[in-house]
Amino acid sequence: ISTVPSSSITGNISVSPAPGTYMTGFNFDKSSPEFWTSSQITGFALSATHSSPVPAILTTAVSDMETAYADASQRTNTEGYNIGAGNLGGLTLTTGVYTFNTDINI
């Protein structure tokens, strides 16, 4: 995960199984062994190399993501293909299944 100084993120961000050093461009306060904070994030930055219980929580999160991906990959497209040519910044998408055969930029 990388950012620029003007970014604003609401919520937590994490990398797993990668170490926290894979999050770049943030001005992190690393004073806690369990999580990092940044003025750019309303939440926490977490990684597999932070103190317990973070690695176990991230392992569960990765497993949940894999389950969600497997479920979504079996669903039928309901909303169209390659919306915005993959450029989704500023768009409001309705509930549904979208399909892309291109990179997606938010």
Side-chain angles (χ1 to χ4, degrees):
I1 300 172
S2 57
T3 189
V4 295
S6 61
S7 293
S8 177
I9 298 170
T10 302
N12 298 331
I13 62 171
S14 62
V15 291
S16 181
T21 55
Y22 278 47
M23 295 181 280
T24 62
F26 295 92
N27 182 18
F28 284 125
D29 174 352
K30 299 179 181 179
S31 59
S32 170
E34 291 182 23
F35 56 83
W36 295 341
T37 59
S38 170
S39 61
Q40 297 165 267
I41 304 170
T42 304
F44 303 110
L46 309 160
S47 81
T49 54
H50 285 112
S51 296
S52 181
V54 173
I57 292 168
L58 294 180
T59 297
T60 299
V62 168
S63 177
D64 291 348
M65 181 258 330
E66 290 170 340
T67 299
Y69 180 85
D71 177 76
S73 70
Q74 300 304 309
R75 295 178 181 238
T76 303
N77 182 305
T78 61
E79 299 300 322
Y81 296 89
N82 296 326
I83 302 297
N87 294 307
L88 303 182
L91 298 181
T92 300
L93 303 178
T94 59
T95 301
V97 177
Y98 297 81
T99 303
F100 296 86
N101 64 0
T102 183
D103 291 341
I104 297 172
N105 295 302
I106 301 174

